[in-house]
Amino acid sequence: MGSKYHWQSQNVKQSGVDDMVLLSKITEDAIVDNLKKRFMDDYIFTYIGSVLISVNPFKQMPYFTDREIELYQGAVSGHRLIFLI
């Protein structure tokens, strides 16, 4: 059985860590560095535990197509959402 969500797939390019609880050190510098790495590769969504962090990409991104909405359906229920501008 395959992964239900694209971020659970083994063939997706990784940039930094998608859940920052996996950082070797949780410091301000490590968090900012991880967000920068992901931002530079157009990964604007990052988690830290149950908190979802979104960095404003300042450009049109294809995240909210019908396909993406279906993939994320129910995936973030119970999570907090933080937008960085």
Side-chain angles (χ1 to χ4, degrees):
M1 176 180 266
S3 297
K4 183 174 181 181
Y5 302 109
H6 73 281
W7 60 85
Q8 295 172 328
S9 174
Q10 298 299 321
N11 296 325
V12 174
K13 177 185 171 193
Q14 291 294 310
S15 180
V17 295
D18 57 351
D19 189 340
M20 291 192 289
V21 296
L22 301 174
L23 291 171
S24 59
K25 292 182 180 179
I26 300 181
T27 64
E28 182 178 350
D29 288 340
I31 289 171
V32 170
D33 183 55
N34 189 62
L35 290 172
K36 181 179 178 182
K37 284 179 189 174
R38 293 180 60 75
F39 175 81
M40 297 305 289
D41 286 336
D42 288 335
Y43 289 98
I44 63 168
F45 298 111
T46 307
Y47 291 90
I48 186 159
S50 63
V51 178
L52 174 64
I53 300 168
S54 177
V55 179
N56 187 341
F58 298 103
K59 64 182 177 180
Q60 185 68 27
M61 301 286 292
Y63 285 112
F64 300 111
T65 65
D66 290 340
R67 179 181 177 276
E68 293 300 320
I69 291 170
E70 183 179 321
L71 287 171
Y72 286 103
Q73 185 74 29
V76 294
S77 61
H79 288 75
R80 295 185 193 111
L81 183 59
I82 297 174
F83 291 97
L84 300 178
I85 300 174

